[in-house]
Structure formats: structure tokens, C-alpha cells
Amino acid sequence: MNDKTWARIKKYTEHQGTSGQEHLVRQALRQDMQPLVDEIHQDGLGGIFGVKNNKQIDAPRVMFAAHMDEVGFIVTDILPTGTFKVATIGGWNPVVISSQRFTLFTSKGTYPVVSSSVSPHLLRGTGHAPQLPTIDDILFDGGFVDYDEAWAYGVRPGDFIVPEVKTILTANKKRVISKAWDNRFGVVTILEALEALVNEPTPNTLIMGANVQEEVGLRGAHGAVNLLKPDIFFAVDSSAADDNAESQGHQGVLDQGTLLRVFDPTIFHQLFVKISDMLKTGNMIQITGQSDSYNGKMSVIARQITAPPQIPTAESGTWFLRFDEEHDNEANRHAVIEIFKKHHGDNPIIIHWQKSDQNQQIDAKFWMNSETAIIRELAPLLGYDNIVFRRSR
């Protein structure tokens, strides 16, 4: 990381701006982006984008967008003591909120505030075990002596509260400790890319910038896309790493490059066309890449998608099949027998019946060969996890 990039990271991560209150970040981004692009556009919600025009009027329009907003809070009530109750803006883990410094933005100026920390003995539940605090347990305190003083200083319900954190480097100068990495990292990346392309022609009209209100439901992206009408849109964002030695099913590993998530059922780009024949129900594919988990759902960020190695038809081994309770019915049993007949061969078949917890070796007249097509045909009847071909050694 060079000094210029570090200064840019520090500048943007220390800027404060939660969803709907991104003006400080937007002002800085507009100023930094101005000399790098041909024109600048701002949508109605406040997203801002620089455009590098292509000479061809029908050139593809490619859009890269980060987002400016960070998570924060909004004042919901001013108590008689002069402290505030709040609601979250974006997703917060309540554990990290207590005893932290914040900035309160009011119509009369900004003021330092601190979040309260509830004593452990006051968090004991009915079972006498300490309970984690909720947002309702935590107050924000700007030092005002009562409601009237807070009101006199301009504090109102609806005012924003944003974390106050200084950005620093770790000892080895390779990592950053900051707030708002999600997604000022993306803003910095956009600027670094534009700077690298400032004297370079591109084969497309390039649109790069940042949306607003991402943390409260991707609101800004819709307006920006409708305004600038890209042919393809890339969201530039950060993703949590899960590469501790003890964890399983890593969703992202530091220093292993960019995670590329593809989500748009209306786009049939060249990569999809190339692999579309493989991406059909019942086909087996081999994927190289990283796994990702979000909201309890697992997805795969694929670097390479290939067909699995074919099992030679002369391969010898044993078929192990399982009829679980979900798939064990009369129709499936008859359909499986027909597949046995269709692919007759010299490989024994052993079936495990889950209901009775019994194994059965099938008569030799129903043994099968080792064609991979068998797995595709059996999968809808048994499920992929219930089909194994074990090669003979």
C-alpha cells in the first residue's frame, strides 16, 4: 500500500455518513472524481457517478458502483435526563455498541456523544445468567443535564448518530483498523481504478461512482441504474472473511483475490453461454472457487466450472444406493428398476432401505455398468447424496 492509497483510505473511512446522510462523503467523492472523468451525474437520492465516454454512441455501458453510507443510529426519543433513545440504521451487533464514541448531527451543529454500558449485574435474566444487551438497553449521552438543555442545543428525534473512530494501520502496515470499511473500501477502489484509467481509452462507456442508502435495503442502486441505464452493473463492496483456522466452510479468505458474485437471471453473458449446457438440472459439474454464506444460505463463488471426469464404461466397482423416507415410494422403486435394466452391466448394486435400516444386495440380473448418465437418471428418484459408485481397487 503506497502513501497515497493509505491517505485516501484514512480520509474516506473517517468521513461520517449513515444512510440518508451521506453528504460529507459525496462532497469529497465529487471533488476527487472531477479530474478523472468526462462528466459527473448525481441521481435524485444522492448517488454520484463519473462517466468516461466512448466515441461510439452504441458502445456498451458498463457501471461499477460502491456505496457511500455506513451503519449508524437515529434519535427516536429525548429522555427527561437529556439522554437519547435510538433506532438502528443498518445492521448492528448489539455487543459492539456499548461504551463507544459517536457524533450526533443536529441542525445546530455536531456534538460528541457516548453510548452507555449496562452493568453486568443489571443484565441478569430470570435464570440469573447475564444476558446480552439489546438496543433498548443502550442509551446515548451527549452530556446534556436534562431534556430542555438537549432541546436548546438543537437535538431532535430524527437526528443521526454516527461512529467516531480514527483509522490506523496495524504494526506490519498490511492491515487497516477502521470503521465503515463497508463500504468506503469500495469508494477508494473506484477512485483508484479511475485514476489508473485516466489516460486510457476503454472499449465501453465507463460509469463509476457510489450509491446511497445501501445499508437500508439497496435503495440507491435502483435510482442510479434507472438514471444511467448501464448494460451491466457491478456492485463493488466488501465481504466478511471467514478464514480462521478453527472455522469450517470458509466464505472468504484474505489475500486470495476478489470474490465475484453473479446475480442477474436476465443476463446471458459469454461465460454463461459457454457453460449453459452443463448448467442443467440433473447434470454433475465440478466447481473450483470459494464458498460464501449469507443469511443462512450457501453459495459458491466460482473461478472455474468444468464437467467432472467421465467414468470409463469399463470401470468396475459397486453401486451403493439408499432409499430414504422422502424418496421411498412405489413409483420411484419401479423407475429405479427400469434404470437398472436400461444400463445392465457387471457392477453389483447394494441398496440401503432407511425405513427398515437394512442392506440388500440386488440380484445379478439387475447389475449395472458405470456410465455417468446413470447418476443423472437416478438423482431425481433418490437424491444425489444417496448415490455412490465405489471403484474397485
Side-chain angles (χ1 to χ4, degrees), residues 7-266:
R8 186 171 276 161
I9 288 173
K10 184 173 176 63
K11 170 184 174 179
Y12 278 95
T13 54
E14 289 185 357
H15 270 311
Q16 295 171 294
T18 189
S19 304
Q21 184 240 354
E22 303 94 342
H23 58 280
L24 295 177
V25 184
R26 181 168 50 249
Q27 290 169 8
L29 181 56
R30 177 186 289 274
Q31 183 177 5
D32 288 347
M33 200 163 47
Q34 189 78 55
L36 307 177
V37 296
D38 299 320
E39 55 190 76
I40 288 182
H41 296 269
Q42 182 173 324
D43 62 44
L45 285 177
I48 188 168
F49 298 89
V51 179
K52 282 175 62 71
N53 291 314
N54 188 280
K55 294 181 180 179
Q56 300 297 322
I57 192 170
D58 59 346
R61 296 175 65 81
V62 180
M63 184 175 189
F64 291 83
H67 67 87
M68 291 179 269
D69 56 316
E70 61 187 289
V71 294
F73 301 91
I74 190 169
V75 175
T76 59
D77 193 15
I78 306 170
L79 302 181
T81 56
T83 56
F84 325 124
K85 300 284 283 185
V86 302
T88 58
I89 298 176
W92 277 94
N93 182 343
V95 174
V96 305
I97 299 173
S98 295
S99 300
Q100 302 296 326
R101 295 173 57 188
F102 296 84
T103 300
L104 170 66
F105 287 78
T106 77
S107 61
K108 293 188 176 181
T110 60
Y111 308 123
V113 296
V114 64
S115 54
S116 67
S117 177
V118 184
S119 300
H121 64 275
L122 297 178
L123 290 172
R124 294 187 185 278
T126 55
H128 303 293
Q131 303 295 309
L132 292 176
T134 66
I135 299 300
D136 289 336
D137 294 320
I138 301 171
L139 300 177
F140 283 72
D141 191 349
F144 305 113
V145 297
D146 55 24
Y147 176 97
D148 290 338
E149 185 175 56
W151 191 269
Y153 273 82
V155 182
R156 301 290 188 273
D159 286 342
F160 293 107
I161 296 177
V162 189
E164 168 67 37
V165 178
K166 296 299 180 186
T167 299
I168 59 174
L169 285 172
T170 55
N172 61 4
K173 311 299 183 185
K174 296 179 180 179
R175 301 281 189 260
V176 175
I177 299 173
S178 76
K179 70 169 181 63
W181 195 253
D182 176 11
N183 184 30
R184 307 294 164 66
F185 154 80
V187 173
V188 170
T189 301
I190 291 291
L191 286 172
E192 298 273 307
L194 281 174
E195 197 166 63
L197 293 170
V198 68
N199 292 317
E200 297 291 332
T202 59
N204 46 59
T205 293
L206 185 61
I207 307 163
M208 302 188 77
N211 291 308
V212 296
Q213 300 186 37
E214 189 271 353
E215 298 289 356
V216 290
L218 306 175
R219 294 178 183 173
H222 300 286
V225 167
N226 285 332
L227 174 68
L228 296 166
K229 301 187 182 339
D231 294 304
I232 188 170
F233 172 91
F234 294 90
V236 182
D237 211 331
S238 58
S239 179
D242 181 27
D243 52 3
N244 295 320
E246 297 84 2
S247 60
Q248 300 294 322
H250 301 316
Q251 66 168 342
V253 180
L254 288 177
D255 303 321
Q256 294 300 308
T258 301
L259 293 176
L260 179 62
R261 301 174 183 169
V262 179
F263 177 77
D264 191 336
T266 67

Side-chain angles (χ1 to χ4, degrees), residues 275-300:
I275 65 175
S276 60
D277 286 341
M278 289 189 286
L279 300 181
K280 293 179 179 178
T281 301
N283 282 5
M284 294 184 67
I285 58 175
Q286 182 171 299
I287 299 175
T288 303
Q290 295 193 51
S291 61
D292 186 25
S293 178
Y294 181 71
N295 284 346
K297 297 180 180 179
M298 182 64 67
S299 60
V300 174

